[in-house]
Amino acid sequence: MTDLSTTVQLARELINIDSVTPDDKGCQELMIKRLEAIGFTIERLHFGDVDNFWAKRGHMEPLFAFAGHTDVVPSGPEKQWHTPPFETTIRDGILYGRGAADMKGSLAAMVTACERFIKNNPDHKGSIGFLITSDEEGPATDGTIKVIDYLKENNEFIDMCLVGEPSCTHKLGDTIKNGRRGSLGARLVIHGIQGHVAYPHLAKNPIHHIAPAISELTTIEWDQGNDFFPPTSFQISNINSGTGATNVIPGEVEVIFNFRFSTELSQEKITARVESLLDQYDFDYDIEWVLSGHPFLTSKGKLVDAAQKSITEITGLNTELSTAGGTSDGRFIAPTGSQVIELGPLNATIHKVNECVATKDLDDLSLIYEKILEQLL
């Protein structure tokens, strides 16, 4: 397949490596080799079991950075795939393989966009950075967040950042993520007294005690959202209790839940309201909160404008700004003051069997990235 573009060829090389999180297995070295060849200085940053790197070309402001991850989620049962998930196949212009859309295709497009841009603009203004991790699909504790801390310690601040997460819905370029909701999870344990179901007066059923509180939590209107964010959502993902026997009242119940919240709320407001509600009920409980990320928003400005203009020039589409979806590593970059957007291929097949991306979309995405560089630098 020598007639394939350099973007598709690099995407295939990356996808053929089974870099299931947090194992990079050489993906980053493939990128580093290409970036070194066009004048990038590389800092390999290893934290815990995670490989990361920071690459930079230039010393002037502004600093525009591409951000992304080389790790992928497990393939699931390989027999359910049309072809092996880590042996790329192209059928009718569609490239199949784990990570094709999330997000090795974007990584390839970033590299080839820079290769063309630097060839045509060897003395470009500003600086270009790459922040690449292998810990986005996992706990995300030794990846981007650690690299950002490292950059802060070295007085390095990203002015504008493009995260290559798959952002589009129906056509390449139809959606840019210019923000994300915050994610706040909790593990709530209600303590009761175990006993025989025939003698309920000698026991205290924690499931019965938590039921009214759960009902109230699910009916609260936390906020109404705003022009950029939908209303905050509360979802229970797990309830665990009991021994499995039908004649034993459980001694405790564990409830796992999550808030996806807008800029109308804060972590402190949510936790205070939940705990105030729980305190009104007659049960003993413990609660552990885990904040995965604060909400962030990049309003219209240089980065958003450059992305929208580039998309229109390459695809003819007027792109939509959105804050929907889950979290991304943008949540670690935005608090530094950086403008952050997410722009990548279609998200229809991410984390699914037979994950795929159109080869033309990868080529067009590389052109869009190149146009963004031209406008900003």
Side-chain angles (χ1 to χ4, degrees):
M1 294 188 176
T2 55
D3 58 335
L4 296 176
S5 69
T6 56
T7 302
V8 175
Q9 288 177 23
L10 180 55
R12 292 190 71 201
E13 289 183 69
L14 292 169
I15 295 165
N16 286 341
I17 299 173
D18 59 339
S19 55
V20 176
T21 190
D23 296 324
D24 171 72
K25 291 193 175 180
C27 290
Q28 292 179 18
E29 290 303 320
L30 279 177
M31 296 179 66
I32 285 170
K33 183 178 179 181
R34 301 281 284 260
L35 294 174
E36 284 181 327
I38 53 175
F40 279 82
T41 299
I42 310 296
E43 293 183 78
R44 294 170 175 84
L45 303 169
H46 192 81
F47 302 110
D49 295 325
V50 176
D51 290 317
N52 311 281
F53 77 83
W54 168 248
K56 187 180 177 185
R57 188 183 197 276
H59 303 284
M60 305 296 289
E61 296 180 349
L63 171 54
F64 168 83
F66 289 107
H69 60 91
T70 55
D71 60 318
V72 297
V73 296
S75 64
E78 291 195 16
K79 64 182 180 181
Q80 294 182 12
W81 286 70
H82 296 323
T83 54
F86 297 107
E87 295 178 19
T88 53
T89 302
I90 298 177
R91 294 182 178 179
D92 301 321
I94 304 297
L95 174 65
Y96 291 89
R98 173 58 84 225
D102 188 12
M103 56 173 286
K104 291 181 176 180
S106 296
L107 296 179
M110 293 171 182
V111 171
T112 57
C114 283
E115 289 174 336
R116 292 191 307 275
F117 173 75
I118 291 167
K119 180 180 179 180
N120 297 326
N121 304 274
D123 300 316
H124 60 80
K125 299 182 295 182
S127 305
I128 308 173
F130 273 74
L131 194 170
I132 307 299
T133 182
S134 61
D135 185 36
E136 196 276 342
E137 299 290 7
T141 54
D142 289 315
T144 298
I145 189 170
K146 290 285 181 66
V147 178
I148 288 295
D149 288 342
Y150 171 83
L151 294 179
K152 286 180 184 177
E153 292 169 3
N154 289 274
N155 294 312
E156 190 89 86
F157 295 96
I158 298 170
D159 297 295
M160 294 170 283
C161 184
L162 189 156
V163 184
E165 291 290 352
S167 63
C168 302
T169 306
H170 302 293
K171 294 181 178 180
L172 178 71
D174 64 8
T175 308
I176 294 173
K177 299 292 177 66
N178 66 321
R180 290 282 192 165
R181 294 175 294 174
S183 177
L184 178 63
R187 175 180 178 269
L188 172 65
V189 178
I190 297 86
H191 305 286
I193 299 174
Q194 187 176 17
H196 196 294
V197 296
Y199 303 93
H201 59 288
L202 300 178
K204 188 174 184 179
N205 193 323
I207 298 177
H208 294 185
H209 283 277
I210 191 58
I214 288 177
S215 178
E216 187 171 351
L217 286 167
T218 59
T219 57
I220 290 175
E221 182 182 72
W222 299 93
D223 61 39
Q224 295 182 336
N226 54 37
D227 291 342
F228 300 99
F229 289 91
T232 293
S233 69
F234 167 82
Q235 289 294 317
I236 295 171
S237 55
N238 268 291
I239 298 179
N240 301 301
S241 187
T243 65
T246 60
N247 59 353
V248 179
I249 294 171
E252 65 179 29
V253 59
E254 176 190 69
V255 183
I256 308 295
F257 57 84
N258 178 269
F259 287 91
R260 294 299 167 103
F261 62 103
S262 73
T263 49
E264 296 294 309
L265 287 178
S266 66
Q267 173 191 7
E268 293 76 19
K269 288 181 179 178
I270 294 172
T271 57
R273 187 169 183 184
V274 170
E275 291 177 15
S276 176
L277 184 152
L278 296 175
D279 289 341
Q280 297 175 23
Y281 289 87
D282 182 26
F283 52 68
D284 179 27
Y285 73 90
D286 293 308
I287 189 166
E288 299 175 3
W289 294 97
V290 178
L291 178 69
S292 298
H294 293 284
F296 69 89
L297 178 71
T298 295
S299 301
K300 285 215 170 189
K302 287 185 178 180
L303 180 57
V304 171
D305 290 347
Q308 288 182 311
K309 289 177 183 177
S310 299
I311 289 169
T312 299
E313 185 172 346
I314 299 301
T315 70
L317 296 176
N318 293 317
T319 195
E320 174 188 352
L321 299 179
S322 171
T323 61
T327 59
S328 78
D329 275 3
R331 69 191 188 271
F332 303 128
I333 303 168
T336 66
S338 173
Q339 297 177 50
V340 177
I341 64 168
E342 297 170 30
L343 173 57
L346 274 64
N347 56 26
T349 63
I350 60 174
H351 292 206
K352 293 183 178 180
V353 168
N354 298 319
E355 180 180 350
C356 61
V357 64
T359 56
K360 184 179 186 305
D361 282 357
L362 291 186
D363 291 333
D364 285 349
L365 184 63
S366 182
L367 293 174
I368 292 169
Y369 288 165
E370 182 183 7
K371 292 294 181 183
I372 291 172
L373 287 168
E374 290 173 353
Q375 292 190 58
L376 296 176
L377 304 179

